[in-house]
């Protein structure tokens, strides 16, 4: 058989396609995935509409309608992700991010949304269209170690995307891990180390279709100290062409230096950005690679804002006489140590100062925290382990200094600080007669039986938050165990859970006075807390990133005050995030008699003034402040707190103003404004009209129709479906022979419900089957529609390295009554077809094939003239007829509107 260009054919593997040329024994055919040359023996012709009418070989109207529905569902979902399998309601900004990122593949984007806006949901929405179309078959998610299980859990429970966790012991030359695990989540802190040939095996494996990097600011490149190990790994994979698409997620992309920021962008788009050029000359390109949305502008689908400003207040307390004396002794010890360090060698002096600073931080947290460090340091000194201790100390200090470049998590940094304070070697002392001074400090610390800050916290909870859930944050594990003990004593052993990096809280004293060690994973603790099974959760910075705790709590208490205010912002983000129903209450504890509290108060006042200045010229001061803090070097805050002890109180204000003169200076403010002003962002007013007002329930009619066409009886009860799975759909693992409790409702939180959406295997099977139906024209009663609807699938004729994943569906509706032609978008078309009955009477066509062909040509012209109204990312769009729905009336003669001018 000979084919001509434009003929429709069906291939047994590739589905329906359009012939581009006939080459004898083979034919070139464009399918949905691209152009293929196929043996003619593998294809069969599809009868044209005019021939079907002439021969009276008409398809079932239900099949034609189901075919259009399937294409419309995919068209809507590929653009917006509204039908993606998710157990949580979707927000407009998340749908917009999905649309923006997937417009062209390979995709290269930095998504820098404010904390709490649902980056995992955005990732899932981006992934499903790519996975379901098999554009992404190899997926690698890279994140901090503490977030690996969180990513695996969320993508599985929210979207049924099942990632394998990378484990170093399973990655060997024989196992071929990277080629046998197509969807992987891995710790950047593990992958960055080239252990036992790991990097070579990664480079030898098949390329990744998509790499997602969470907390991407850990990929740092400093102009002077160079690249972090994580940055080097991504850069190497990139240069060896192992990465096709790549998406970075981070709330603080600019860490204070333009070179580092541009280096991050260079990883994504080396064709546009270079760290060797100025930021100013590259800002205009920022909207091609960076997206930032903030809480102030986020709305629901009705345009209502969903975030409330946090209610922040400070509570004060006063040291007991014993605590005040211990604070004085520690301050004297630190000042004496600094004086002693000034007379030592440069390297030794730096080490001493670093240890003293970490001691001051621990002492600011609690007596318990510094007491543990002092005791361990004294024991290390007494044991006099020279070489081993020296190697260990140098390793710890090296890791800590690397962490300040952005390569470590906050919880890891706090753990390193505890180790630095404890580490010791025989030839380095913090002061003369250090052992004697340590004994004095430890002896005095042991006199303090109760800490007034902890007493204040328990009284505050009992007085102001009776019966309410409360989240507590502290930097150090000793303070964590101290507070857990106090809560157990006051409210019972079962009232509290905890999160830290070790999954272990030692030295806890329970209600019976017994010292115990508690063990619990962060997943277990967060689940119990969110479900209201425990009233309190005490966390270190291990919960400061990547964990949701807002389901049953809106109150946060800062047990200690981090020296870097950015940490407080991240803590609040655990509660002030999507799903929070109330304004978050934030309480900080401070002792106004301490130098640390005085510095914190002055710093907080300066931050509030900056936010007021922002507020006078921009709508999102809190969002901008997060960027400013992210750009501020940690050493600025370290110097403020550590050097303040040397300044007389009467001169502290003048000294503070001098030290912070450059903090959030004009250059920083201007950079933040420039970044925010040039990156891309969601705007509800501009986008609202384009967002489909649809959800999972809008694919239910199509699915029920497909079950019935497969001769399956559907039992419906209380919006739930029960049915036997069609045999045609049961050809791959994971598909059940029977389904019960099937719902098309994201809010059905019960685990025994099967929530259906695009991405679920049987929904995908239904769509796949319907798209292979060969019918192209349905004659229907005019009670269903009085419009002749010609449906087209629009794609890009250009084939290049940028794969266009969208095959947009649109229709021309010829209205008989009003004698005009209307553009029908994919979501409008689906809404119309969802009203179709499950059974049609047979209707004999009242028009000729030629009349239908004439109308199709007019429709195609109309569609091509109105492409601009469809917001397509195509270079050379091509409209291909999909199907026609014709009511039982004669040929319409409408007058099309004038073409758009």
């Amino acid at each position: 058989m000979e084919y001509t260009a434009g003929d429709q054919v069906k291939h047994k593997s590739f589905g329906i396609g359009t012939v581009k040329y006939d080459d004898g024994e083979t034919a070139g055919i464009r399918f949905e995935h691209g152009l293929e040359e196929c043996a003619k023996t593998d294809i069969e012709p599809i009868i044209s509409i005019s021939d079907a009418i002439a021969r009276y070989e008409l398809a079932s109207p239900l099949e034609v309608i189901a075919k259009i529905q399937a294409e419309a569902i995919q068209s809507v979902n590929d653009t917006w992700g509204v039908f993606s399998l998710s157990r949580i309601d979707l927000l407009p900004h998340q749908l917009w991010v999905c649309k923006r990122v997937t417009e062209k593949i390979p995709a290269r984007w930095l998504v820098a949304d404010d904390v709490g806006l649902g980056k995992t949901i955005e990732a899932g929405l981006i992934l499903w269209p790519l996975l379901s179309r098999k554009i992404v078959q190899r997926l690698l998610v890279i994140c901090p170690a503490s977030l690996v299980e969180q990513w695996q859990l969320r993508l599985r429970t929210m979207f049924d995307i099942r990632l394998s966790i990378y484990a170093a012991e399973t990655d060997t030359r024989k196992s071929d891990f990277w080629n046998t695990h197509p969807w992987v989540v891995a710790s950047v802190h593990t992958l960055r180390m080239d252990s036992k040939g790991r990097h070579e095996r990664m480079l030898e494996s098949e390329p990744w279709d998509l790499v997602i990097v969470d907390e991407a600011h850990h990929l740092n490149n400093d102009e002077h100290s160079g690249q972090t190990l994580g940055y080097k790994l991504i850069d190497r994979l990139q240069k060896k062409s192992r990465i096709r698409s790549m998406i970075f997620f981070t709330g603080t992309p600019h860490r204070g230096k333009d070179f580092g920021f541009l280096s991050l962008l260079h990883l994504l788009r080396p064709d546009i950005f270079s760290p060797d050029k100025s930021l100013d000359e590259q800002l205009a390109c920022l909207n091609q690679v960076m997206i930032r949305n903030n809480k102030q502008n986020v709305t629901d689908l009705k345009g209502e804002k969903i975030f409330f400003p946090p209610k922040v207040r400070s509570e004060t307390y006063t040291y007991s006489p014993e605590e005040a004396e211990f604070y004085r002794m520690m301050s004297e010890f630190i000042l004496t140590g600094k004086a002693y360090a000034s007379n030592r060698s440069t390297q030794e002096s730096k080490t001493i100062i670093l240890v003293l600073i970490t001691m001051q931080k621990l002492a600011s947290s609690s007596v318990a925290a510094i007491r543990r460090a002092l005791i361990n340091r004294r024991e290390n000194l007494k044991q006099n382990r020279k070489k081993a201790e020296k190697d260990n100390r140098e390793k710890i200090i090296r890791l800590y200094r690397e962490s300040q470049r952005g390569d470590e998590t906050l919880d890891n940094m706090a753990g390193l600080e505890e180790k630095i304070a404890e580490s010791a070697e025989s030839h380095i002392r913090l002061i003369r007669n250090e052992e004697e001074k340590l004994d004095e400090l430890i002896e005095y610390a042991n006199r303090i039986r109760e800490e007034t800050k902890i007493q204040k916290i328990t009284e505050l909870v009992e007085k102001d938050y009776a019966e309410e859930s409360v989240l507590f944050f502290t930097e150090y594990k000793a303070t964590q165990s101290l507070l857990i003990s106090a809560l157990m004593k006051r409210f019972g052993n079962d009232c509290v859970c905890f999160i830290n990096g070790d999954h272990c809280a030692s030295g806890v004293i329970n209600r019976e006075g017994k010292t115990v060690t508690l063990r619990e994973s962060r997943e277990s603790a967060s689940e119990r807390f969110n479900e209201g099974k425990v009233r309190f959760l005490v966390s270190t910075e291990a919960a400061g990133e990547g964990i949701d705790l807002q389901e049953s709590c809106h109150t946060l208490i800062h047990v200690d005050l981090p020296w870097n205010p950015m940490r407080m912002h991240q803590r609040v983000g655990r509660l002030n995030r999507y799903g929070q129903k109330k304004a978050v209450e934030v309480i900080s504890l401070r002792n106004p008699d301490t130098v640390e509290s005085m510095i914190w108060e002055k710093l907080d006042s300066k931050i509030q003034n900056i936010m007021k200045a922002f507020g006078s010229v921009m709508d999102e001061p809190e969002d901008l402040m997060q960027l400013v803090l992210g750009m501020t070097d940690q050493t600025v805050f370290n110097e403020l707190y550590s050097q303040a002890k040397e300044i007389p109180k009467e001169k502290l204000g003048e000294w503070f103003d001098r030290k912070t003169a450059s903090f959030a200076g004009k250059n920083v403010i201007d950079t933040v404004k420039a970044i925010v002003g040039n990156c891309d962002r969601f705007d509800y007013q501009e986008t609202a009209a384009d967002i489909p007002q649809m959800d999972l329930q809008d694919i239910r009619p199509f699915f029920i129709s497909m079950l019935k066409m497969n001769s399956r009886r559907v039992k419906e009860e209380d919006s739930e479906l029960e049915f036997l799975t069609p045999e045609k759909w049961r050809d791959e693992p994971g598909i059940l022979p029977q389904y019960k409790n099937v719902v098309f409702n994201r809010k059905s939180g019960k685990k025994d419900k099967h929530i259906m959406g695009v991405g679920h295997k049987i929904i995908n099977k239904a769509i796949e089957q319907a798209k292979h139906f060969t019918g192209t024209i349905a004659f229907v009663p005019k009670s269903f529609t009085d419009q002749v609807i010609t449906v087209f699938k629009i794609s890009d004729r250009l084939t290049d390295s940028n794969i266009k994943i969208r095959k947009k569906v649109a229709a021309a509706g010829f209205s008989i009554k009003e004698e005009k032609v209307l553009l029908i978008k994919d979501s409008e078309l689906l809404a119309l077809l969802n009203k179709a009955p499950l059974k049609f009477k047979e209707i004999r066509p009242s028009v000729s094939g030629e009349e239908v062909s004439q109308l199709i040509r007019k429709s195609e012209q109309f569609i091509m003239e109105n492409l601009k109204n469809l917001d397509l990312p195509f270079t050379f769009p091509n409209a291909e007829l999909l199907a026609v729905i014709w009511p039982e009336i004669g040929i319409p003669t409408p007058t099309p509107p004038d073409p758009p001018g």
Side-chain angles (χ1 to χ4, degrees), residues 17-84:
T18 303
V19 174
K20 306 306 292 183
Y21 61 86
D22 187 313
D23 198 21
E25 294 181 351
T26 63
I29 305 167
R30 183 183 292 280
F31 297 99
E32 188 170 275
H33 65 274
L35 191 66
E36 298 279 355
E37 184 159 348
C38 305
K40 288 184 178 179
T41 55
D42 293 335
I43 60 177
E44 60 181 80
I46 294 176
I47 188 170
S48 69
I49 289 180
S50 57
D51 287 345
I53 295 173
R55 300 178 198 171
Y56 198 58
E57 296 179 10
L58 303 179
S60 160
L62 290 178
E63 283 195 5
V64 175
I65 288 172
K67 175 182 177 179
I68 301 171
Q69 284 176 309
E71 294 284 4
I73 287 169
Q74 193 162 69
S75 175
V76 172
N77 201 63
D78 282 353
T79 305
W80 295 101
V82 292
F83 302 134
S84 291

Side-chain angles (χ1 to χ4, degrees), residues 574-673:
R574 298 310 98 208
L575 295 183
N576 191 30
R577 58 195 306 105
Y578 176 43
Q580 178 60 257
K581 304 301 183 186
K582 299 181 180 180
V584 174
E585 294 189 45
V586 182
I587 302 96
S588 58
L589 275 293
R590 65 183 186 87
N591 182 344
D593 296 328
T594 64
V595 172
E596 291 81 6
S597 179
M598 296 176 191
I599 293 297
W600 181 86
E601 188 175 0
K602 292 181 180 297
L603 191 58
D604 184 61
S605 177
K606 188 176 184 72
I607 289 172
Q608 295 305 317
N609 287 335
I610 294 169
M611 287 179 63
K612 287 180 182 177
F614 271 141
S616 64
V617 293
M618 302 189 84
D619 293 332
E620 53 276 349
E622 184 179 347
D623 175 58
L624 297 178
M625 197 64 230
Q626 181 191 3
L627 290 174
V628 170
L629 293 174
M631 290 177 63
T632 306
D633 196 317
Q634 172 69 38
T635 57
V636 171
F637 304 114
N638 282 350
E639 289 177 3
L640 277 176
Y641 283 96
S642 62
Q643 295 175 12
K645 284 185 178 293
E646 305 167 32
I647 309 300
K649 286 187 177 181
E650 63 273 11
K651 296 184 179 180
L652 193 62
E654 180 185 341
W655 174 84
F656 176 87
D657 291 340
R658 192 165 60 250
K659 288 289 290 184
T660 59
S662 61
F663 170 62
K666 186 178 184 301
N667 60 329
V668 173
I669 303 297
D670 289 346
T671 298
V672 168
K673 289 180 179 179

Side-chain angles (χ1 to χ4, degrees), residues 44 70 93 117 175 274 291 309 313 333 400 405 413 553 627 643 744 838 842 847:
E44 60 181 80
H93 79 276
L117 293 188
S175 70
S274 169
I291 291 169
R313 79 175 199 266
F333 179 86
Y400 182 73
R405 291 170 52 201
M413 289 178 66
C553 178
L627 290 174
Q643 295 175 12
F744 291 81
L838 292 174
E842 182 178 345
V847 292

